[in-house]
Amino acid sequence: MTQIQSLFPETYESSRERFRDNLPTVQSVWAKAKPFQHKLPGEEDLTIDWIYSDALETNQKIFILTTGEHGVEGYVGSAMMQRFIETCMPKLDPRNTGILLVHAINPWGMKHHRRGNKDNVDLNRTFLWEVGHDPNFNPEYDTISKFLNSGTKIQNLSLDDIDYTLQLFWHIARMGMKNFRYALLLGQYRDPKGLYYGGSERPEETQVLMYLYKQMMASYDQTLHLDMHTGYGPRYQMSLVNSALDKGTSEHFVKRFNYPLVVAATADEFYAIRGDMVDYEYALWQNEFPEKRFFATAFEFGTLGDSMYGLFQSPRVMIHENRAYWHGAKNENLHAQAKRGFEELFNPSAPDWKEKAVRDADQAFTGILEAEGYIP
């Protein structure tokens, strides 16, 4: 277990240092591999880091692995990146396969243990094929916005939990669970302090990744991209979350990848998202590189589970953390409680959870790489 535990970093800085230290390991397979950084503006030392190499002989395939689009999720993402480098990367054929490893798409969020960037922007609501941060989008969000962000300091979490439960049941009774989740999770572009805020313009972090994805698709005949996330789904079974734009059924991919849980990012199977990063890649592929081969998916490591308890608790934890961040709490203990719950939602501390997450990642890495022809 100690070996598994060591995969999970405790700080953004230690995670980034380990990632950079992997360069010689990558160069032992791809001698031409080089490190790259994009520093975000501001006084803090925050960088999007990536290691890239062309294939050694012919650029037939590119493998991409990304982490930390939702900053706090970067800790589990870092563990899976390290696991991939140590166990799966050596199996790739560098003669015809290039590699792109991206650490912390959202470094501010990872460092500060928040989901959004410094402007509270959820980057996975910003990858719009046609730029349109429409403030009138998702009008149903307005009917629950006061519930999600009361605008007041946390005074008593026990009383807040009672109030949360009563309001949640009222909204679900009024809207239905499916419509409530749709309005909550889809994304919104008008409340800068609200949940799932997509901003008013394309963030710098998003532009960096868009550029990289276009370069990779232009340079290779086949692209495979795996993106790491945490939060939703069964606690002890990672979900593969495919784009709603992929024409294959989830049942097809279960068999193809020899992996037990595959869902599509739709309201029926998972939840719908506007501005999703993988959806953007599919649009890029379909519009500009349709003659090429492409597949991308997200690894979603569930934490609270998909029972009614998990479905109720996830929004509660998000609401409390967001409220504490913007409006504070009566005392430090209340603030710490809100942060602990949020951390467990996206970066669980339980050793058995970490062990199972790594086993699931191992199975999915192998199944996908074999099915897509990247390893024998």
Side-chain angles (χ1 to χ4, degrees):
M1 178 59 210
T2 304
Q3 183 179 4
I4 296 298
Q5 185 75 30
S6 69
L7 292 173
F8 294 80
E10 294 187 1
T11 67
Y12 160 71
E13 288 82 3
S14 64
S15 178
R16 182 176 66 176
E17 181 180 7
R18 181 177 67 181
F19 177 75
R20 292 175 176 177
D21 287 346
N22 278 312
L23 179 62
T25 303
V26 179
Q27 288 175 332
S28 69
V29 182
W30 287 269
K32 297 187 290 185
K34 294 181 181 179
F36 298 86
Q37 299 171 17
H38 179 88
K39 187 182 185 306
L40 296 182
E43 295 181 1
E44 290 187 290
D45 179 19
L46 299 171
T47 55
I48 303 171
D49 287 71
W50 63 96
I51 296 173
Y52 171 71
S53 178
D54 288 327
L56 300 184
E57 297 178 5
T58 58
N59 280 351
Q60 295 178 17
K61 305 172 183 176
I62 180 68
F63 174 81
I64 305 171
L65 196 153
T66 55
T67 69
E69 182 183 20
H70 293 135
V72 67
E73 301 175 23
Y75 294 93
V76 174
S78 175
M80 302 311 160
M81 173 80 78
Q82 192 65 26
R83 183 69 170 183
F84 175 84
I85 289 171
E86 293 176 359
T87 63
C88 295
M89 189 187 73
K91 300 176 185 177
L92 300 177
D93 186 350
R95 295 172 299 177
N96 60 24
T97 304
I99 193 163
L100 173 62
L101 306 174
V102 182
H103 178 268
I105 296 171
N106 176 9
W108 186 94
M110 187 173 180
K111 177 179 174 63
H112 295 281
H113 295 256
R114 296 214 78 218
R115 203 166 173 274
N117 71 3
K118 64 179 177 62
D119 298 315
N120 195 46
V121 172
D122 182 329
L123 297 182
N124 209 36
R125 303 300 184 277
T126 67
F127 282 83
L128 300 162
W129 177 248
E130 295 180 355
V131 178
H133 296 73
D134 181 4
N136 297 313
F137 176 75
N138 189 12
E140 281 299 304
Y141 184 90
D142 291 342
T143 67
I144 59 174
S145 63
K146 190 67 176 177
F147 164 61
L148 300 175
N149 189 5
S150 67
T152 60
K153 181 186 295 187
I154 295 176
Q155 300 285 344
N156 185 309
L157 279 178
S158 297
L159 292 178
D160 283 347
D161 283 345
I162 294 172
D163 182 59
Y164 165 81
T165 302
L166 292 174
Q167 288 198 59
L168 179 66
F169 276 115
W170 185 82
H171 283 297
I172 291 174
R174 179 180 61 85
M175 304 172 68
M177 175 61 88
K178 184 176 179 180
N179 289 336
F180 172 80
R181 281 172 56 82
Y182 186 83
L184 170 65
L185 300 167
L186 184 63
Q188 54 90 13
Y189 302 92
R190 57 190 169 279
D191 182 2
K193 295 183 179 180
L195 299 179
Y196 305 102
Y197 174 56
S200 58
E201 57 187 18
R202 186 173 282 167
E204 187 169 335
E205 301 94 326
T206 300
Q207 294 180 53
V208 170
L209 270 295
M210 284 181 169
Y211 170 80
L212 288 175
Y213 296 146
K214 187 165 186 176
Q215 290 295 107
M216 295 305 104
M217 282 195 200
S219 301
Y220 293 85
D221 297 327
Q222 180 178 355
T223 299
L224 172 61
H225 176 203
L226 306 180
D227 185 39
M228 304 293 113
H229 287 267
T230 60
Y232 289 90
R235 179 170 172 84
Y236 291 105
Q237 184 61 65
M238 183 267 285
S239 307
L240 293 179
V241 184
N242 288 348
S243 170
L245 300 178
D246 196 297
K247 297 178 181 179
T249 65
S250 295
E251 293 77 13
H252 164 77
F253 286 109
V254 165
K255 295 177 181 177
R256 177 171 172 76
F257 298 148
N258 189 31
Y259 190 80
L261 183 58
V262 182
V263 296
T266 64
D268 290 331
E269 294 190 28
F270 188 64
Y271 62 82
I273 304 169
R274 184 176 190 260
D276 176 75
M277 182 169 71
V278 173
D279 283 354
Y280 170 82
E281 291 178 273
Y282 269 85
L284 176 64
W285 168 51
Q286 293 167 355
N287 283 277
E288 297 190 17
F289 305 101
E291 75 285 359
K292 299 192 175 187
R293 183 173 170 180
F294 172 75
F295 178 76
T297 192
F299 286 26
E300 182 82 23
F301 297 90
T303 56
L304 297 183
D306 57 353
S307 64
M308 290 303 290
Y309 170 81
L311 293 175
F312 285 176
Q313 284 292 94
S314 292
R316 183 191 73 84
V317 170
M318 296 277 288
I319 289 169
H320 284 343
E321 187 275 341
N322 195 57
R323 185 177 170 193
Y325 178 80
W326 288 110
H327 307 292
K330 183 178 180 181
N331 54 56
E332 281 300 316
N333 184 50
L334 287 174
H335 198 283
Q337 286 185 58
K339 286 297 293 182
R340 276 199 301 273
F342 183 79
E343 193 75 20
E344 285 295 318
L345 176 58
F346 296 109
N347 183 26
S349 58
D352 66 331
W353 184 90
K354 293 179 179 180
E355 285 188 327
K356 183 57 166 63
V358 170
R359 289 202 301 272
D360 288 348
D362 287 345
Q363 183 179 357
F365 280 141
T366 299
I368 295 170
L369 290 169
E370 287 180 352
E372 293 296 314
Y374 280 70
I375 62 176

